[in-house]
């Protein structure tokens, strides 16, 4: 066999003397077999380096003798772990690890959202509602009519707080802590209080499932919880307005709304008609207004069908509001002389 000592460029002929788990080159000092590191073969010679000794090389002319080969470290092709367990088992393990990581990443906001104390969520909601300032409408009789709808479909949850904001946007947004904002554009687009009751019931569904915190965490990360809300509260509210919940969250919110309407003896058919109207072909002006709702709520025929199907076999429905109450709610912003005029800050 031949040997380079890593000091000179001279190639030496040496005898390889095996001694248990160690070896010697001629009369040199004993070295561990485990410290040998396979290198690429040169001219049919098996070549090994020595760990920690740069340039040190030995070569077995014509390959390693068969009786010695099992005692020497094997060739490393990919890396220690892959070579230890094999290429395909290692790839399967890495694929499983990657899948678990992706699943945890996708589910983390939901898990963290469920762990947020209600008091923290209410504080965030209070800050966001406060940022709406003088845009909250409180025209004569309108607030009472709105409260009557909420009381009718969800009398058990006193934490729910629904307000109308003076912006011509056909949309509603659920804020943290049970705060729900319905924009005046949506109130005026609704043709009956029963339509509005279904939309509010859907937003209450998001409250009960705590979808809002999950959405905030998904968009803004843990900074919302760890750092609180900074001066850009309107930006956070806008982020919620533009957010879209998962299909599962939307379906669960719809189920909650349907159950609320059934319990309150409010017909779900107007809500189905509302969804159909928003999702169908509209004139140019209406199309512009409906975009806001379509951006954050997947209005689809399937959702309208779910509300329609829930009416099968049901009867004895009662109107959510009487005409006087509905008229007051429709004009809640118009009759509030002190409300701030629409400003398109959002």
């Amino acid at each position: 066999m031949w040997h380079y000592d890593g000091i000179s460029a001279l190639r030496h002929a040496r005898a390889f003397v095996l001694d248990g788990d160690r070896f010697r080159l001629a009369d040199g000092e004993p070295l561990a077999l485990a410290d040998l590191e396979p290198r690429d073969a040169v001219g049919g010679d098996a070549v090994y380096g020595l760990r920690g000794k740069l340039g040190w090389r030995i070569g077995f002319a014509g390959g390693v003798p068969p009786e010695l080969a099992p005692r020497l470290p094997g060739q490393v092709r990919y890396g220690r772990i892959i070579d230890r367990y094999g290429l395909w088992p290692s790839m399967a393990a890495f694929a499983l690890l990657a899948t678990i990581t992706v699943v945890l990443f996708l589910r983390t906001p939901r898990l963290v959202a469920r762990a947020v104390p209600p008091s923290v969520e209410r504080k965030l909601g209070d800050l966001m509602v406060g940022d709406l300032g003088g845009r909250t409408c409180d025209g004569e009789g309108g607030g009472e009519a709105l409260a009557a709808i909420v009381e009718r479909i969800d009398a058990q949850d006193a934490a729910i707080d629904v307000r109308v904001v003076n912006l011509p946007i056909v949309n509603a947004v659920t804020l943290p802590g049970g705060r729900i904002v319905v924009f005046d554009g949506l109130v005026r687009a609704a043709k009956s209080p029963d339509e509005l009751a279904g939309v509010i019931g859907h937003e209450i569904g998001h409250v009960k499932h705590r979808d809002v915190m999950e959405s905030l965490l998904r968009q803004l990360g843990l900074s919302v919880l760890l750092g609180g809300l900074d001066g850009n509260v309107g930006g956070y509210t806008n982020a919620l307005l533009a957010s879209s919940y998962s299909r599962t969250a939307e379906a669960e919110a719809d189920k909650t709304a349907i159950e609320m309407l059934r319990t309150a003896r409010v017909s779900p058919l107007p809500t189905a008609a509302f969804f159909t109207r928003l999702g169908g072909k509209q004139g140019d002006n209406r199309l512009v207004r409906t975009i806001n709702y379509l951006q954050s709520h997947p209005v689809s025929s399937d959702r309208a069908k779910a509300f329609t199907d829930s009416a099968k076999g049901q009867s004895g429905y009662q109107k959510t509001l009487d005409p006087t109450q509905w008229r007051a709610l429709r004009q809640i912003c118009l009759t509030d002389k002190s409300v701030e005029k629409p400003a398109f800050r959002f």
Side-chain angles (χ1 to χ4, degrees), residues 173-206:
V173 59
T174 301
L175 304 179
R179 273 57 172 171
I180 296 173
V181 171
V182 179
F183 295 101
D184 186 52
L186 188 144
V187 175
R188 301 182 67 78
K191 291 187 175 180
S192 74
D194 293 354
E195 290 186 358
L196 193 58
V199 173
I200 292 175
H202 176 88
E203 299 301 327
I204 292 177
H206 285 311

mmCIF file of all heavy atoms in Angstrom, residues 173-206:
data_model
loop_
_atom_site.group_PDB
_atom_site.id
_atom_site.type_symbol
_atom_site.label_atom_id
_atom_site.label_comp_id
_atom_site.label_asym_id
_atom_site.label_seq_id
_atom_site.Cartn_x
_atom_site.Cartn_y
_atom_site.Cartn_z
ATOM 1 N N VAL A 173 -68.182 43.329 9.758
ATOM 2 C CA VAL A 173 -66.908 42.781 10.213
ATOM 3 C C VAL A 173 -67.020 42.472 11.696
ATOM 4 O O VAL A 173 -67.635 43.228 12.451
ATOM 5 C CB VAL A 173 -65.748 43.755 9.941
ATOM 6 C CG1 VAL A 173 -65.962 45.079 10.623
ATOM 7 C CG2 VAL A 173 -64.416 43.141 10.354
ATOM 8 N N THR A 174 -66.466 41.342 12.074
ATOM 9 C CA THR A 174 -66.433 40.955 13.478
ATOM 10 C C THR A 174 -65.077 41.316 14.049
ATOM 11 O O THR A 174 -64.043 40.924 13.520
ATOM 12 C CB THR A 174 -66.665 39.445 13.623
ATOM 13 O OG1 THR A 174 -67.928 39.109 13.053
ATOM 14 C CG2 THR A 174 -66.666 39.045 15.088
ATOM 15 N N LEU A 175 -65.098 42.090 15.126
ATOM 16 C CA LEU A 175 -63.872 42.496 15.796
ATOM 17 C C LEU A 175 -63.667 41.613 17.026
ATOM 18 O O LEU A 175 -64.591 40.898 17.445
ATOM 19 C CB LEU A 175 -63.964 43.975 16.206
ATOM 20 C CG LEU A 175 -64.269 44.965 15.074
ATOM 21 C CD1 LEU A 175 -64.347 46.386 15.631
ATOM 22 C CD2 LEU A 175 -63.205 44.890 13.987
ATOM 23 N N PRO A 176 -62.483 41.629 17.613
ATOM 24 C CA PRO A 176 -62.254 40.812 18.815
ATOM 25 C C PRO A 176 -63.205 41.204 19.949
ATOM 26 O O PRO A 176 -63.709 42.320 20.011
ATOM 27 C CB PRO A 176 -60.796 41.140 19.181
ATOM 28 C CG PRO A 176 -60.172 41.582 17.900
ATOM 29 C CD PRO A 176 -61.251 42.304 17.151
ATOM 30 N N GLY A 177 -63.451 40.269 20.847
ATOM 31 C CA GLY A 177 -64.247 40.545 22.032
ATOM 32 C C GLY A 177 -65.733 40.633 21.794
ATOM 33 O O GLY A 177 -66.455 41.250 22.593
ATOM 34 N N GLY A 178 -66.238 40.067 20.729
ATOM 35 C CA GLY A 178 -67.676 40.060 20.481
ATOM 36 C C GLY A 178 -68.209 41.328 19.862
ATOM 37 O O GLY A 178 -69.416 41.546 19.813
ATOM 38 N N ARG A 179 -67.310 42.209 19.409
ATOM 39 C CA ARG A 179 -67.753 43.448 18.759
ATOM 40 C C ARG A 179 -68.040 43.175 17.288
ATOM 41 O O ARG A 179 -67.196 42.620 16.580
ATOM 42 C CB ARG A 179 -66.683 44.525 18.867
ATOM 43 C CG ARG A 179 -66.710 45.361 20.113
ATOM 44 C CD ARG A 179 -66.618 44.582 21.363
ATOM 45 N NE ARG A 179 -66.463 45.450 22.522
ATOM 46 C CZ ARG A 179 -66.533 45.045 23.749
ATOM 47 N NH1 ARG A 179 -66.793 43.773 24.016
ATOM 48 N NH2 ARG A 179 -66.367 45.880 24.745
ATOM 49 N N ILE A 180 -69.208 43.564 16.839
ATOM 50 C CA ILE A 180 -69.590 43.384 15.433
ATOM 51 C C ILE A 180 -69.955 44.747 14.849
ATOM 52 O O ILE A 180 -70.745 45.487 15.435
ATOM 53 C CB ILE A 180 -70.792 42.416 15.313
ATOM 54 C CG1 ILE A 180 -70.380 41.022 15.798
ATOM 55 C CG2 ILE A 180 -71.283 42.346 13.861
ATOM 56 C CD1 ILE A 180 -71.527 40.043 15.873
ATOM 57 N N VAL A 181 -69.359 45.059 13.726
ATOM 58 C CA VAL A 181 -69.629 46.323 13.046
ATOM 59 C C VAL A 181 -70.371 46.022 11.748
ATOM 60 O O VAL A 181 -69.902 45.243 10.922
ATOM 61 C CB VAL A 181 -68.325 47.078 12.749
ATOM 62 C CG1 VAL A 181 -68.598 48.271 11.841
ATOM 63 C CG2 VAL A 181 -67.676 47.544 14.047
ATOM 64 N N VAL A 182 -71.538 46.634 11.610
ATOM 65 C CA VAL A 182 -72.311 46.524 10.363
ATOM 66 C C VAL A 182 -72.266 47.889 9.697
ATOM 67 O O VAL A 182 -72.629 48.903 10.311
ATOM 68 C CB VAL A 182 -73.769 46.117 10.647
ATOM 69 C CG1 VAL A 182 -74.553 46.033 9.332
ATOM 70 C CG2 VAL A 182 -73.825 44.800 11.399
ATOM 71 N N PHE A 183 -71.788 47.941 8.488
ATOM 72 C CA PHE A 183 -71.686 49.218 7.805
ATOM 73 C C PHE A 183 -73.050 49.630 7.248
ATOM 74 O O PHE A 183 -73.864 48.782 6.856
ATOM 75 C CB PHE A 183 -70.638 49.149 6.702
ATOM 76 C CG PHE A 183 -69.254 48.930 7.231
ATOM 77 C CD1 PHE A 183 -68.667 47.670 7.197
ATOM 78 C CD2 PHE A 183 -68.545 49.968 7.806
ATOM 79 C CE1 PHE A 183 -67.401 47.459 7.699
ATOM 80 C CE2 PHE A 183 -67.276 49.768 8.325
ATOM 81 C CZ PHE A 183 -66.697 48.513 8.273
ATOM 82 N N ASP A 184 -73.264 50.936 7.238
ATOM 83 C CA ASP A 184 -74.562 51.474 6.820
ATOM 84 C C ASP A 184 -74.910 51.031 5.399
ATOM 85 O O ASP A 184 -76.089 50.856 5.076
ATOM 86 C CB ASP A 184 -74.528 53.003 6.910
ATOM 87 C CG ASP A 184 -75.889 53.606 6.622
ATOM 88 O OD1 ASP A 184 -76.877 53.172 7.252
ATOM 89 O OD2 ASP A 184 -75.962 54.488 5.744
ATOM 90 N N GLY A 185 -73.901 50.839 4.562
ATOM 91 C CA GLY A 185 -74.169 50.386 3.196
ATOM 92 C C GLY A 185 -74.859 49.036 3.170
ATOM 93 O O GLY A 185 -75.739 48.784 2.332
ATOM 94 N N LEU A 186 -74.506 48.163 4.105
ATOM 95 C CA LEU A 186 -75.144 46.854 4.161
ATOM 96 C C LEU A 186 -76.577 46.973 4.695
ATOM 97 O O LEU A 186 -77.493 46.308 4.191
ATOM 98 C CB LEU A 186 -74.333 45.905 5.033
ATOM 99 C CG LEU A 186 -74.785 44.448 5.025
ATOM 100 C CD1 LEU A 186 -73.583 43.506 5.103
ATOM 101 C CD2 LEU A 186 -75.733 44.140 6.175
ATOM 102 N N VAL A 187 -76.760 47.826 5.714
ATOM 103 C CA VAL A 187 -78.115 48.020 6.265
ATOM 104 C C VAL A 187 -79.051 48.510 5.172
ATOM 105 O O VAL A 187 -80.191 48.033 5.040
ATOM 106 C CB VAL A 187 -78.082 49.024 7.439
ATOM 107 C CG1 VAL A 187 -79.493 49.317 7.936
ATOM 108 C CG2 VAL A 187 -77.216 48.475 8.570
ATOM 109 N N ARG A 188 -78.573 49.437 4.358
ATOM 110 C CA ARG A 188 -79.426 50.004 3.327
ATOM 111 C C ARG A 188 -79.583 49.065 2.136
ATOM 112 O O ARG A 188 -80.528 49.180 1.358
ATOM 113 C CB ARG A 188 -78.871 51.356 2.889
ATOM 114 C CG ARG A 188 -78.788 52.352 4.046
ATOM 115 C CD ARG A 188 -78.295 53.712 3.609
ATOM 116 N NE ARG A 188 -79.263 54.358 2.736
ATOM 117 C CZ ARG A 188 -80.373 54.964 3.152
ATOM 118 N NH1 ARG A 188 -80.663 54.996 4.454
ATOM 119 N NH2 ARG A 188 -81.184 55.538 2.320
ATOM 120 N N ALA A 189 -78.626 48.110 1.969
ATOM 121 C CA ALA A 189 -78.756 47.129 0.886
ATOM 122 C C ALA A 189 -79.724 46.010 1.243
ATOM 123 O O ALA A 189 -80.277 45.355 0.355
ATOM 124 C CB ALA A 189 -77.393 46.540 0.546
ATOM 125 N N ALA A 190 -79.920 45.790 2.548
ATOM 126 C CA ALA A 190 -80.849 44.740 2.985
ATOM 127 C C ALA A 190 -82.282 45.172 2.695
ATOM 128 O O ALA A 190 -82.642 46.333 2.881
ATOM 129 C CB ALA A 190 -80.662 44.461 4.467
ATOM 130 N N LYS A 191 -83.099 44.221 2.255
ATOM 131 C CA LYS A 191 -84.487 44.536 1.919
ATOM 132 C C LYS A 191 -85.435 44.261 3.079
ATOM 133 O O LYS A 191 -86.619 44.598 2.996
ATOM 134 C CB LYS A 191 -84.912 43.733 0.694
ATOM 135 C CG LYS A 191 -84.212 44.189 -0.589
ATOM 136 C CD LYS A 191 -84.788 43.496 -1.803
ATOM 137 C CE LYS A 191 -84.157 44.048 -3.076
ATOM 138 N NZ LYS A 191 -84.703 43.401 -4.295
ATOM 139 N N SER A 192 -84.950 43.606 4.117
ATOM 140 C CA SER A 192 -85.816 43.329 5.260
ATOM 141 C C SER A 192 -84.952 43.101 6.491
ATOM 142 O O SER A 192 -83.765 42.749 6.373
ATOM 143 C CB SER A 192 -86.670 42.077 4.995
ATOM 144 O OG SER A 192 -85.887 40.901 5.098
ATOM 145 N N PRO A 193 -85.530 43.258 7.672
ATOM 146 C CA PRO A 193 -84.750 42.995 8.897
ATOM 147 C C PRO A 193 -84.364 41.528 9.017
ATOM 148 O O PRO A 193 -83.363 41.216 9.662
ATOM 149 C CB PRO A 193 -85.700 43.428 10.024
ATOM 150 C CG PRO A 193 -87.062 43.385 9.429
ATOM 151 C CD PRO A 193 -86.889 43.751 7.990
ATOM 152 N N ASP A 194 -85.125 40.634 8.386
ATOM 153 C CA ASP A 194 -84.771 39.220 8.439
ATOM 154 C C ASP A 194 -83.477 38.946 7.674
ATOM 155 O O ASP A 194 -82.679 38.084 8.066
ATOM 156 C CB ASP A 194 -85.899 38.362 7.864
ATOM 157 C CG ASP A 194 -87.146 38.418 8.734
ATOM 158 O OD1 ASP A 194 -87.073 39.025 9.829
ATOM 159 O OD2 ASP A 194 -88.185 37.867 8.331
ATOM 160 N N GLU A 195 -83.264 39.661 6.554
ATOM 161 C CA GLU A 195 -81.997 39.531 5.834
ATOM 162 C C GLU A 195 -80.838 39.959 6.733
ATOM 163 O O GLU A 195 -79.810 39.272 6.822
ATOM 164 C CB GLU A 195 -82.001 40.385 4.568
ATOM 165 C CG GLU A 195 -82.916 39.881 3.474
ATOM 166 C CD GLU A 195 -82.750 40.692 2.190
ATOM 167 O OE1 GLU A 195 -81.943 41.653 2.207
ATOM 168 O OE2 GLU A 195 -83.411 40.357 1.194
ATOM 169 N N LEU A 196 -81.025 41.090 7.393
ATOM 170 C CA LEU A 196 -79.973 41.598 8.270
ATOM 171 C C LEU A 196 -79.748 40.657 9.445
ATOM 172 O O LEU A 196 -78.603 40.459 9.893
ATOM 173 C CB LEU A 196 -80.350 42.996 8.771
ATOM 174 C CG LEU A 196 -79.246 43.807 9.446
ATOM 175 C CD1 LEU A 196 -78.067 43.998 8.502
ATOM 176 C CD2 LEU A 196 -79.795 45.151 9.897
ATOM 177 N N ALA A 197 -80.810 40.046 9.945
ATOM 178 C CA ALA A 197 -80.685 39.112 11.073
ATOM 179 C C ALA A 197 -79.802 37.931 10.695
ATOM 180 O O ALA A 197 -78.990 37.458 11.507
ATOM 181 C CB ALA A 197 -82.065 38.633 11.512
ATOM 182 N N GLY A 198 -79.941 37.443 9.464
ATOM 183 C CA GLY A 198 -79.109 36.319 9.026
ATOM 184 C C GLY A 198 -77.642 36.694 8.947
ATOM 185 O O GLY A 198 -76.763 35.914 9.339
ATOM 186 N N VAL A 199 -77.366 37.911 8.430
ATOM 187 C CA VAL A 199 -75.972 38.367 8.335
ATOM 188 C C VAL A 199 -75.379 38.542 9.732
ATOM 189 O O VAL A 199 -74.245 38.117 10.003
ATOM 190 C CB VAL A 199 -75.897 39.686 7.541
ATOM 191 C CG1 VAL A 199 -74.484 40.249 7.584
ATOM 192 C CG2 VAL A 199 -76.342 39.461 6.100
ATOM 193 N N ILE A 200 -76.147 39.165 10.625
ATOM 194 C CA ILE A 200 -75.643 39.355 11.996
ATOM 195 C C ILE A 200 -75.443 38.003 12.678
ATOM 196 O O ILE A 200 -74.463 37.789 13.401
ATOM 197 C CB ILE A 200 -76.621 40.237 12.803
ATOM 198 C CG1 ILE A 200 -76.600 41.669 12.248
ATOM 199 C CG2 ILE A 200 -76.250 40.238 14.283
ATOM 200 C CD1 ILE A 200 -77.610 42.604 12.893
ATOM 201 N N GLY A 201 -76.363 37.067 12.433
ATOM 202 C CA GLY A 201 -76.211 35.728 12.994
ATOM 203 C C GLY A 201 -74.934 35.064 12.513
ATOM 204 O O GLY A 201 -74.247 34.378 13.277
ATOM 205 N N HIS A 202 -74.592 35.292 11.231
ATOM 206 C CA HIS A 202 -73.346 34.738 10.680
ATOM 207 C C HIS A 202 -72.131 35.332 11.405
ATOM 208 O O HIS A 202 -71.202 34.598 11.775
ATOM 209 C CB HIS A 202 -73.271 35.050 9.182
ATOM 210 C CG HIS A 202 -71.990 34.615 8.539
ATOM 211 N ND1 HIS A 202 -71.802 33.353 8.023
ATOM 212 C CD2 HIS A 202 -70.821 35.282 8.339
ATOM 213 C CE1 HIS A 202 -70.570 33.250 7.530
ATOM 214 N NE2 HIS A 202 -69.961 34.412 7.697
ATOM 215 N N GLU A 203 -72.156 36.642 11.629
ATOM 216 C CA GLU A 203 -71.025 37.275 12.338
ATOM 217 C C GLU A 203 -70.956 36.807 13.787
ATOM 218 O O GLU A 203 -69.864 36.610 14.331
ATOM 219 C CB GLU A 203 -71.163 38.805 12.268
ATOM 220 C CG GLU A 203 -71.158 39.385 10.850
ATOM 221 C CD GLU A 203 -69.881 39.053 10.085
ATOM 222 O OE1 GLU A 203 -68.815 38.962 10.713
ATOM 223 O OE2 GLU A 203 -69.962 38.869 8.845
ATOM 224 N N ILE A 204 -72.113 36.606 14.421
ATOM 225 C CA ILE A 204 -72.108 36.066 15.793
ATOM 226 C C ILE A 204 -71.500 34.669 15.800
ATOM 227 O O ILE A 204 -70.805 34.273 16.748
ATOM 228 C CB ILE A 204 -73.536 36.058 16.369
ATOM 229 C CG1 ILE A 204 -74.021 37.499 16.597
ATOM 230 C CG2 ILE A 204 -73.584 35.272 17.683
ATOM 231 C CD1 ILE A 204 -75.461 37.600 17.092
ATOM 232 N N GLY A 205 -71.720 33.931 14.727
ATOM 233 C CA GLY A 205 -71.102 32.611 14.619
ATOM 234 C C GLY A 205 -69.583 32.709 14.664
ATOM 235 O O GLY A 205 -68.916 31.900 15.320
ATOM 236 N N HIS A 206 -69.025 33.722 13.970
ATOM 237 C CA HIS A 206 -67.569 33.927 14.028
ATOM 238 C C HIS A 206 -67.123 34.266 15.453
ATOM 239 O O HIS A 206 -66.044 33.852 15.893
ATOM 240 C CB HIS A 206 -67.153 35.048 13.074
ATOM 241 C CG HIS A 206 -67.163 34.654 11.621
ATOM 242 N ND1 HIS A 206 -66.569 33.501 11.165
ATOM 243 C CD2 HIS A 206 -67.691 35.274 10.528
ATOM 244 C CE1 HIS A 206 -66.728 33.419 9.847
ATOM 245 N NE2 HIS A 206 -67.411 34.464 9.437
#
